[in-house]
Amino acid sequence: MLIRLAYAKNKTMPLLFATTGAVLLAMVLLSPLTTVHAADKTAVKVGIMSGEDEDVWREVVKQAASKGLTVKTVVFNDYNQPNEALQKGEVDANAFQHQPFLDNQIKVNHYDIVRVGDTAVWPIGLYSKKVKSVADLKSGAVIGVPNDPANEARGLNLLQREGVLKLKPGAGILATTADIIDNPRHIQIKELDAGIIGRSVPDLDAAIVNTDWALKSGLTKQERIAQEGIKNNPYNNFIAVKKENVNVPWVKTLVASYQNDAVKKVFDQVYKGTGITAW
């Protein structure tokens, strides 16, 4: 009836109403299909860091395949890339970071990314090729620390625990060099990219190095003169996805594909005790 009345006044109106109706019908029909497609996803891309983790994820891929999920890993060499790729939809998940790192990335970049399943923890360490203990560090020694906020704070807290320096009360996991309130040995802090700091150890008196990067750089346990504690460590790594995907079935399958004995066995072989599974 509406179309007939409009037609009497303007012969172009039926086309307008018919087109509008078609668009609305298409929206109604396609919307639930899109939701079902997301829920039934059987192939995903996961961003990981290059190196030993690639070996671990080969086993994860096998475990996922046995559960009906195809996983393709996308390898990165820079800590700042995986979250950007996840936010843009270039990968469906990533597995490389701890919560303080993600919290800072969300604060700076407003990412809509959440934690869905723990993987492992790599206790950060202080490495040196020049001294055998923290006590041997001389006045004016140069110590390298990672230049990303989360890992720099982690390193500074380790230096405080070892009595090298003192931080402002309450600095905690957000500590920066500006929070150093006591430096009795006049230690010089040199900020370096986490990916190269391990290879810079010979040029420094000591350096705070993430354990995975220490392994990549050929550093040994004998060259680790201090290490953060493992109990109640806030730096457990995890699998992360965009918030909108938290409850889709493939996420649970992906987490289960990592958190199992087969992956733990490969993990322990690859990391040789430098990392510890954390589920």
Side-chain angles (χ1 to χ4, degrees):
M1 179 64 70
L2 179 60
I3 291 177
R4 287 182 179 177
L5 289 173
Y7 183 80
K9 296 180 180 180
N10 189 332
K11 292 183 179 181
T12 65
M13 291 302 287
L15 178 60
L16 174 60
F17 282 111
T19 302
T20 302
V23 171
L24 290 172
L25 180 61
M27 290 174 65
V28 171
L29 291 174
L30 290 176
S31 180
L33 290 177
T34 301
T35 302
V36 171
H37 176 72
D40 290 343
K41 202 164 192 176
T42 57
V44 296
K45 294 180 180 179
V46 181
I48 65 172
M49 298 303 294
S50 63
E52 290 75 18
D53 225 25
E54 295 177 75
D55 295 327
V56 176
W57 274 87
R58 287 189 187 96
E59 182 60 33
V60 179
V61 169
K62 292 179 184 178
Q63 294 296 315
S66 71
K67 296 174 174 57
L69 180 66
T70 299
V71 174
K72 178 182 179 181
T73 55
V74 179
V75 180
F76 295 95
N77 296 297
D78 182 325
Y79 282 148
N80 292 311
Q81 295 173 339
N83 280 333
E84 183 70 16
L86 178 54
Q87 185 67 25
K88 289 180 177 179
E90 295 169 358
V91 297
D92 301 289
N94 64 40
F96 78 104
Q97 64 192 322
H98 49 63
Q99 195 64 51
F101 182 86
L102 176 58
D103 289 344
N104 182 73
Q105 291 255 301
I106 291 172
K107 180 179 179 181
V108 173
N109 300 303
H110 309 290
Y111 292 146
D112 194 27
I113 297 172
V114 296
R115 173 184 193 159
V116 292
D118 288 354
T119 55
V121 60
W122 287 263
I124 207 165
L126 179 64
Y127 291 80
S128 179
K129 288 181 176 291
K130 297 181 179 178
V131 298
K132 299 297 184 181
S133 70
V134 175
D136 294 333
L137 288 169
K138 297 179 180 179
S139 178
V142 179
I143 298 179
V145 299
N147 63 359
D148 64 275
N151 285 310
E152 178 176 74
R154 194 176 178 183
L156 292 174
N157 276 285
L158 175 56
L159 293 176
Q160 175 173 250
R161 196 194 74 176
E162 294 296 320
V164 175
L165 49 77
K166 187 175 181 180
L167 299 170
K168 186 186 303 180
I173 62 174
L174 300 176
T176 69
T177 54
D179 294 311
I180 298 174
I181 57 175
D182 190 21
N183 185 2
R185 297 193 226 178
H186 308 290
I187 297 297
Q188 299 178 53
I189 302 296
K190 187 171 184 177
E191 298 173 322
L192 296 167
D193 182 85
I196 67 170
I197 195 168
R199 297 192 299 273
S200 301
V201 170
D203 303 317
L204 303 164
D205 292 295
I208 296 290
V209 187
N210 291 76
T211 309
D212 53 335
W213 284 114
L215 193 60
K216 293 180 178 71
S217 303
L219 297 171
T220 67
K221 289 183 179 180
Q222 290 70 36
E223 293 165 330
R224 187 172 61 209
I225 60 176
Q227 177 180 287
E228 69 183 358
I230 296 173
K231 188 177 181 180
N232 299 321
N233 193 310
Y235 298 102
N236 283 357
N237 281 25
F238 51 81
I239 296 169
V241 301
K242 292 190 72 174
K243 188 179 294 184
E244 65 195 47
N245 289 325
V246 167
N247 295 316
V248 296
W250 66 260
V251 173
K252 184 179 291 187
T253 302
L254 180 63
V255 172
S257 298
Y258 195 107
Q259 296 179 348
N260 58 73
D261 291 341
V263 171
K264 176 175 170 44
K265 181 178 179 181
V266 174
F267 183 96
D268 291 343
Q269 290 172 345
V270 169
Y271 283 104
K272 302 172 184 176
T274 59
I276 303 165
T277 51
W279 62 82

